Amino acid sequence: MPKTKYELIYRDLKEKIEADEFPYQELLPPENTLIQIYDCSRNTVRRAIGKLVTDGYVQTMQGKGVRNIYRPVEQTAFTIGEIETFRESALRNGQTPRTKVLLFTEITADASLSKHTGFPAGSELYYLQRLHYLDGKPLILNHNYFLKSAAHGLTPEIATNSIYDYLENTLHMTIVNSKRTMTVEKITEIDEKYMDLNVDDYNCVAVVTSSTYNSDGIMFEYTQSRHRPDYFHFQDNAIRRPAT
Amino acid sequence: MPKTKYELIYRDLKEKIEADEFPYQELLPPENTLIQIYDCSRNTVRRAIGKLVTDGYVQTMQGKGVRNIYRPVEQTAFTIGEIETFRESALRNGQTPRTKVLLFTEITADASLSKHTGFPAGSELYYLQRLHYLDGKPLILNHNYFLKSAAHGLTPEIATNSIYDYLENTLHMTIVNSKRTMTVEKITEIDEKYMDLNVDDYNCVAVVTSSTYNSDGIMFEYTQSRHRPDYFHFQDNAIRRPAT
DNA sequence: GCCGATTTGTCCGTATGTATC
DNA sequence: CGATACATACGGACAAATCGG
């Protein structure tokens, strides 16, 4: 539950927009009206509107107003700009997630792995392979590397459920940000085997690699997520900034 | 040139971080110090820092400070969250862009195209196929649909240079936001022919579709960008928000 | 074209809350 | 506990863009 005022306003406006309470392509009430409605300062409504802009729900125009440009989406996929666990995004989309741990080992990073993952050579790591199912279909094959010192006590049971839940709620780690890249790579035999793929059909997978940092500033996770190409679907809302 | 104060501060801090003037993993000067340095209010420095956070340059920690987490990237690719033209991102990365117009026609959207692009049936459109080269290599094949009423006067010459430059500086259109999705699709014969690909090698391309809106709230562009998979590279910085 | 009303954009100063050390 | 530092919130001022008379 959000407890800040601007987040409450943000949620309320977002729900109203989704519920079609503001006509599509029309202007929302001006800031001054919203100030009265929510009994708050101008800064606060502006923060809420700012979030709706980055979400792609509205566009603001100086001198005119704030226009509702929200269109419901068939099937939203993975979010950009926010870290979401597999479980969270599945539930948000009304799908049933399931995770199978294929491999759970402890390794020490050698020079090659260090270069690949960004962990210092000699780091003690957990290395996991996990298969994520959505509504029964195996869609994502994850290679997870976790720093043992930061994620100590990790077990296959935890990995079957939510690792982030363990890190955040049991170890009280604060996860801050994650640098991600998206590329396309050749399929491997492991991909083929576990994701029911056939080289003659698709010979590539979509790969999302992420390096994730906690509030101590240390990178505690390196993950490579290999997605079945026919189900891979990322979304983004981009904003044009006035010419520099 | 940015003319707002917070943007100047943002740029200055960004350049200092890139120039390694703040040690990696260390804290930046606290807000109060920055207020004195830049002779501005707290809100203004906080706006600048907020942009650095979304850029993935720093992380903020309540009670501690603002940590520099910037690492130079080997080869940056396409930005997320901001609309950038092909030319802009190429120049930002120090590469040489070139564009070849393969097809320039005018069509009317029928029911099928309407469903595909989101333009109303009967819309008068420009349909272009353009091939983008980077440092001489054909990497992106674009299928562009522009609303004729919004982009009137478009010519193959303009399309060889920058369409956005024409829209923004000649037609004085204000481009606001763009909804994008990223998927992986099977290669087509056109892809194979123009991007020097071979089905036996890669049989997929990375596809970015975008629907772009101007300040009148109308979607004036639908574009499908088909990227050579071995050069496709998207970047993102995601932020973990406290559990809702 | 001008002027005034409306609306968003930028900026300032201040106060209070909360997390860290 | 106190000092420091970021987070939230308020209120006010002026600028810039839009629109109608």
Side-chain angles (χ1 to χ4, degrees):
Chain A
M1 286 299 172
K3 51 185 203 301
T4 61
K5 210 163 180 177
Y6 82 89
E7 235 174 303
L8 289 169
I9 298 172
Y10 160 74
R11 296 223 173 180
D12 190 61
L13 288 173
K14 188 168 177 169
E15 282 167 17
K16 284 189 167 52
I17 290 170
E18 285 169 348
D20 223 25
E21 294 189 27
F22 303 115
Y24 178 56
Q25 292 286 28
E26 296 297 308
L27 300 182
L28 269 61
E31 290 173 359
N32 277 320
T33 308
L34 295 176
I35 288 170
Q36 290 167 11
I37 292 175
Y38 293 108
D39 187 33
C40 66
S41 75
R42 184 146 172 252
N43 273 332
T44 307
V45 297
R46 284 180 61 76
R47 287 190 68 175
I49 292 172
K51 282 205 72 166
L52 294 172
V53 170
T54 63
D55 284 356
Y57 274 51
V58 300
Q59 39 174 231
T60 62
M61 291 154 301
Q62 188 169 357
K64 292 180 80 171
V66 180
R67 177 185 286 121
N68 171 15
I69 55 167
Y70 168 77
R71 291 283 74 186
V73 191
E74 328 74 62
Q75 133 201 14
T76 75
F78 299 96
T79 50
I80 290 188
E82 279 180 4
I83 299 175
E84 229 184 9
T85 68
F86 174 70
R87 185 171 298 269
E88 286 164 351
S89 76
L91 296 176
R92 181 169 54 76
N93 295 326
Q95 294 167 310
T96 308
R98 190 162 67 85
T99 301
K100 190 163 149 190
V101 177
L102 305 178
L103 181 69
F104 187 101
T105 59
E106 304 186 3
I107 57 174
T108 303
D110 59 11
S112 149
L113 187 61
S114 165
K115 184 170 181 189
H116 181 235
T117 61
F119 287 117
S123 302
E124 303 274 318
L125 305 173
Y126 293 110
Y127 171 48
L128 290 77
Q129 289 181 3
R130 296 193 296 165
L131 192 58
H132 288 305
Y133 295 80
L134 220 47
D135 289 343
K137 284 201 198 72
L139 297 187
I140 306 172
L141 181 60
N142 268 351
H143 299 259
N144 302 110
Y145 300 86
F146 285 95
L147 206 56
K148 239 169 109 176
S149 59
H152 51 86
L154 198 61
T155 66
E157 281 73 41
I158 294 168
T160 306
N161 297 296
S162 175
I163 293 180
Y164 272 37
D165 184 62
Y166 173 69
L167 297 177
E168 290 186 320
N169 298 325
T170 303
L171 297 187
H172 302 293
M173 179 191 292
T174 306
I175 293 153
V176 179
N177 73 313
S178 184
K179 298 182 182 179
R180 300 187 293 200
T181 68
M182 270 165 274
T183 56
V184 174
E185 287 185 18
K186 283 283 184 59
I187 201 171
T188 65
E189 284 182 15
I190 301 180
D191 298 332
E192 207 173 339
K193 175 178 171 191
Y194 286 110
M195 289 195 281
D196 282 348
L197 285 167
N198 187 336
V199 166
D200 298 331
D201 192 17
Y202 283 94
N203 68 7
C204 301
V205 290
V207 178
V208 180
T209 63
S210 52
S211 304
T212 309
Y213 296 74
N214 65 18
S215 61
D216 294 328
I218 62 170
M219 184 187 119
F220 68 94
E221 177 193 4
Y222 174 88
T223 285
Q224 188 188 74
S225 293
R226 304 177 72 84
H227 294 246
R228 243 183 91 147
D230 45 350
Y231 284 90
F232 179 72
H233 189 81
F234 247 78
Q235 277 195 338
D236 182 26
N237 178 59
I239 297 164
R240 178 74 172 170
R241 54 173 187 195
T244 56
Chain B
M1 288 298 174
K3 51 186 201 302
T4 62
K5 211 162 179 176
Y6 82 90
E7 233 173 305
L8 288 169
I9 298 171
Y10 160 74
R11 296 224 174 180
D12 190 60
L13 289 173
K14 188 168 177 170
E15 282 168 17
K16 284 189 167 52
I17 290 169
E18 285 169 347
D20 223 25
E21 294 189 28
F22 302 116
Y24 178 57
Q25 291 288 27
E26 296 298 309
L27 300 182
L28 269 60
E31 291 174 355
N32 278 320
T33 308
L34 295 176
I35 289 170
Q36 291 168 9
I37 293 175
Y38 294 107
D39 187 33
C40 66
S41 76
R42 184 139 175 262
N43 274 332
T44 307
V45 297
R46 283 180 62 75
R47 287 189 68 175
I49 292 172
K51 282 204 73 166
L52 294 172
V53 170
T54 62
D55 284 356
Y57 274 50
V58 299
Q59 39 174 231
T60 63
M61 291 154 301
Q62 188 170 356
K64 293 178 80 171
V66 180
R67 178 185 286 122
N68 171 15
I69 54 166
Y70 168 75
R71 291 282 75 185
V73 191
E74 330 71 63
Q75 135 202 13
T76 76
F78 301 96
T79 49
I80 290 190
E82 278 181 3
I83 300 175
E84 230 184 9
T85 67
F86 173 70
R87 183 170 300 269
E88 285 164 351
S89 77
L91 296 176
R92 181 170 55 75
N93 295 326
Q95 294 166 310
T96 309
R98 190 162 67 86
T99 300
K100 191 163 150 188
V101 178
L102 305 177
L103 180 70
F104 187 103
T105 59
E106 304 186 4
I107 57 174
T108 304
D110 59 13
S112 149
L113 187 61
S114 165
K115 186 170 178 189
H116 181 233
T117 61
F119 288 116
S123 302
E124 304 273 318
L125 305 172
Y126 293 110
Y127 171 48
L128 291 77
Q129 288 181 4
R130 296 194 296 164
L131 190 58
H132 288 305
Y133 295 79
L134 220 47
D135 288 343
K137 285 201 197 71
L139 297 188
I140 306 171
L141 181 59
N142 268 351
H143 298 259
N144 301 110
Y145 299 86
F146 285 95
L147 205 57
K148 238 169 108 175
S149 58
H152 51 85
L154 198 61
T155 66
E157 280 73 40
I158 295 168
T160 306
N161 296 296
S162 175
I163 293 180
Y164 272 37
D165 184 63
Y166 173 70
L167 296 178
E168 290 186 320
N169 298 324
T170 304
L171 296 187
H172 303 294
M173 178 192 291
T174 305
I175 293 153
V176 178
N177 73 315
S178 184
K179 298 181 183 181
R180 301 187 292 199
T181 68
M182 271 165 273
T183 56
V184 174
E185 287 186 18
K186 283 284 183 58
I187 201 172
T188 65
E189 284 183 15
I190 301 180
D191 297 331
E192 206 174 338
K193 175 177 171 194
Y194 286 109
M195 288 195 280
D196 283 346
L197 285 167
N198 187 336
V199 165
D200 299 330
D201 192 17
Y202 284 94
N203 68 7
C204 303
V205 291
V207 178
V208 181
T209 63
S210 53
S211 303
T212 309
Y213 297 74
N214 64 19
S215 61
D216 294 329
I218 62 169
M219 185 188 119
F220 68 94
E221 176 191 6
Y222 174 88
T223 286
Q224 188 188 75
S225 293
R226 304 176 73 83
H227 294 246
R228 242 183 92 147
D230 45 350
Y231 284 90
F232 179 72
H233 188 82
F234 247 79
Q235 277 196 338
D236 182 26
N237 178 60
I239 298 164
R240 177 75 172 168
R241 56 173 188 197
T244 56

